[in-house]
Amino acid sequence: MTFKSKTMRPDLFQSPDYYLLDELLSDEHKMVRDAARAWVKKEVSPIIEEYAQKAEFPHQIVKGLGEIGGFGPYIPVEYGGAGLDQISYGLIMQEIERGDSGVRSTSSVQSSLVMYPIWKYGNEEQRMKYLPKLATGEFIGCFGLTEPDYGSNPAGMVTNYKDMGDHYLLNGAKMWISNAPFADIAVVWAKNEEGRIHGLIVERGMEGFSTPETHNKWSLRASATGELIFDNVKVPKENLLPNKSGLGAPLGCLDSARYGIAWGAIGAAMDCYDTALRYSKERIQFDKPIGATQLQQKKLAEMITEITKAQLLTWRLGVLRNEGKATTAQISMAKRNNVDMALTIARDARQMLGGMGITGEYSIMRHMMNLESVVTYEGTHDIHLLITGMDVTGFPAFK
Ligand SMILES: Cc1cc2nc3c(=O)[nH]c(=O)nc-3n(C[C@H](O)[C@H](O)[C@H](O)COP(=O)(O)OP(=O)(O)OC[C@H]3O[C@@H](n4cnc5c(N)ncnc54)[C@H](O)[C@@H]3O)c2cc1C
């Protein structure tokens, strides 16, 4: 085999559906998923390895992401969204992350962490001003919650604003913010003088607002990450999200994003499984395909079992969300389970490809490194376990 750098082999992905889960999907679900899948094959797979290698976000895909419903899939059509249900939203995330977790991160942030709070917590003027442009990708947004000293514990945030009469004065800093380096707007969570958390829309170009990029990441290399620095930024009063405050406001956004991540992780896992399965049938060692050995079959059998369990869990969660019944703890369980499942599959799949598994000719190593961020952001693996623990015992063990 020869090693060609930068570009991946042709995308031959075939989606595993061991328990015939397609029968649980409506025609609309399948249509939306297939459109997203075809778009990823055509527009993401051929270029993503090169962009990940050079640690650059592929801006040329933004318009297409909007067209497949990747920005605000469940936001009502009157605001430019796709008006889809939660299962369609999940399937879009699954397909995008099958291509790359970094691209899915851009889509998740825009949809659930920027459009969702403007839709749910904003007023009608804010909705009309921002949502249609975010839905097409004309505007890119970012979400500022995490701070240098407050990650898992965002309630401690120190970013704050003061009421100056005709405007607010914002000070502080956010860290690890996806899309920050090129975002047109930021939904920023900050405390008022009484210590209550509110969301503010900060626009690029406001004096004192800067967004330095975070370099040297080994993970989510095709997604831009940065800081948000607020040095006496004058924010117009009409940019405050008026309809919800307190920590529950950003946590509500995270529920929606984590639900999408639960689906997205299945996409990354399916891609690793599919690649390893195909390779195991083609790669001959000791005069037979490695797929004919018991050890490699054990890996593949466990992968498809775990993918199938995750598909069922997540489909059910989608039904509960459509019915307005899904709890934060149920979403935590699915995010934690599915990302861990995907990471384990990526590690095993990478080993199955031997030396070829570390190259950019295959997507596996990129998925594996990406998933190290996905298992950390939007609540770490441990924090989600504590959420489940609190839910079943009634005792919060965070402090
Ligand atoms: C690539 C990337 C993109 C991101 N994008 C965004 C974004 O767009 N917007 C945003 O606001 N944030 C973003 N984040 C931040 C992310 O949400 C945080 O990194 C995450 O919440 C963890 O915070 P931390 O890194 O400060 O880790 P810490 O909170 O310092 O945690 C360190 C370790 O301690 C553990 N720990 C913490 N508290 C407890 C406890 N009580 N009990 C047991 N263990 C505990 C954690 O599980 C973890 O293993 C991003 C992060 C990354 C890596």
Side-chain angles (χ1 to χ4, degrees):
M1 264 177 208
T2 53
F3 169 57
K4 297 183 241 93
S5 65
K6 283 200 172 171
T7 46
M8 264 168 48
R9 285 163 183 260
D11 182 353
L12 303 173
F13 176 69
Q14 284 186 316
S15 171
D17 184 14
Y18 206 72
Y19 264 41
L20 310 184
L21 284 161
D22 263 22
E23 292 179 9
L24 297 173
L25 303 179
S26 68
D27 287 345
E28 181 177 76
H29 293 149
K30 285 184 268 194
M31 203 178 71
V32 165
R33 180 201 57 196
D34 293 348
R37 184 169 296 166
W39 178 79
V40 167
K41 270 201 182 191
K42 187 163 172 279
E43 305 292 341
V44 179
S45 300
I47 57 135
I48 195 63
E49 181 63 29
E50 186 187 341
Y51 278 82
Q53 292 276 0
K54 60 184 182 186
E56 226 180 271
F57 176 73
H59 288 275
Q60 68 270 35
I61 65 169
V62 164
K63 189 165 171 280
L65 265 175
E67 285 165 1
I68 60 157
F71 295 146
Y74 53 85
I75 300 288
V77 285
E78 66 255 40
Y79 300 120
L84 297 166
D85 77 347
Q86 290 290 307
I87 304 260
S88 286
Y89 160 41
L91 288 164
I92 294 173
M93 295 300 119
Q94 172 186 288
E95 295 306 317
I96 297 175
E97 190 145 4
R98 210 277 300 170
D100 188 75
S101 306
V103 178
R104 199 270 307 135
S105 298
T106 291
S107 175
S108 287
V109 168
Q110 181 95 334
S111 301
S112 290
L113 302 182
V114 179
M115 295 177 77
Y116 178 90
I118 294 173
W119 173 45
K120 283 284 179 187
Y121 315 147
N123 58 32
E124 198 54 19
E125 283 107 76
Q126 292 167 337
R127 290 183 197 126
M128 294 313 293
K129 180 174 177 190
Y130 298 108
L131 293 178
K133 287 185 173 156
L134 289 161
T136 57
E138 186 183 339
F139 276 2
I140 291 290
C142 68
F143 173 88
L145 180 65
T146 306
E147 299 190 354
D149 292 332
Y150 296 94
S152 299
N153 177 25
M157 70 173 67
V158 292
T159 298
N160 66 88
Y161 66 92
K162 286 193 172 66
D163 190 336
M164 306 301 282
D166 62 341
H167 64 270
Y168 297 121
L169 200 63
L170 179 66
N171 277 291
K174 301 286 177 178
M175 186 176 185
W176 295 118
I177 307 305
S178 303
N179 298 351
F182 52 79
D184 301 285
I185 63 166
V187 170
V188 176
W189 301 95
K191 285 180 177 164
N192 66 11
E193 283 145 287
E194 287 79 50
R196 184 134 185 105
I197 295 171
H198 285 262
L200 298 152
I201 303 169
V202 179
E203 297 181 18
R204 182 169 298 282
M206 286 180 175
E207 211 182 316
F209 175 41
S210 57
T211 60
E213 183 158 2
T214 303
H215 294 290
N216 299 334
K217 292 181 301 168
W218 284 113
S219 174
L220 289 191
R221 289 171 62 81
S223 158
T225 313
E227 295 167 58
L228 304 177
I229 314 269
F230 313 106
D231 180 10
N232 285 323
V233 181
K234 284 183 183 174
V235 181
K237 285 202 149 170
E238 64 261 26
N239 284 26
L240 183 95
L241 297 175
N243 295 332
K244 190 159 169 117
S245 63
L247 191 61
L251 294 187
C253 307
L254 293 176
D255 269 358
S256 179
R258 289 166 178 172
Y259 165 74
I261 293 173
W263 280 94
I266 296 175
M270 292 198 307
D271 198 48
C272 293
Y273 164 77
D274 179 62
T275 304
L277 177 63
R278 191 171 305 108
Y279 192 86
S280 77
K281 294 177 185 173
E282 290 166 0
R283 177 69 175 164
I284 310 290
Q285 288 295 288
F286 300 98
D287 303 322
K288 65 178 184 182
I290 59 168
T293 66
Q294 286 188 356
L295 280 174
Q296 305 316 316
Q297 285 187 11
K298 177 176 186 288
K299 291 193 186 82
L300 290 165
E302 285 175 352
M303 285 181 201
I304 190 62
T305 305
E306 291 307 315
I307 287 171
T308 305
K309 282 155 65 179
Q311 285 171 326
L312 280 162
L313 178 81
T314 314
W315 175 82
R316 175 66 187 150
L317 185 62
V319 172
L320 291 175
R321 275 186 66 84
N322 275 342
E323 293 171 354
K325 291 196 291 207
T327 66
T328 295
Q330 286 168 336
I331 295 166
S332 275
M333 180 185 283
K335 191 268 184 186
R336 180 175 185 273
N337 178 77
N338 292 9
V339 178
D340 188 52
M341 172 278 298
L343 202 41
T344 305
I345 286 178
R347 288 170 181 153
D348 281 346
R350 202 223 55 73
Q351 287 197 48
M352 286 186 66
L353 266 68
M356 288 309 290
I358 71 149
T359 73
E361 282 202 45
Y362 295 90
S363 54
I364 297 176
M365 186 91 175
R366 180 167 42 80
H367 282 308
M368 194 181 100
M369 295 194 302
N370 282 343
L371 288 162
E372 291 291 345
S373 286
V374 182
V375 81
T376 291
Y377 70 22
E378 307 250 2
T380 67
H381 189 67
D382 289 339
I383 292 295
H384 286 298
L385 177 128
L386 294 178
I387 291 172
T388 306
M390 178 174 70
D391 197 49
V392 296
T393 65
F395 303 123
F398 299 93
K399 289 186 182 169

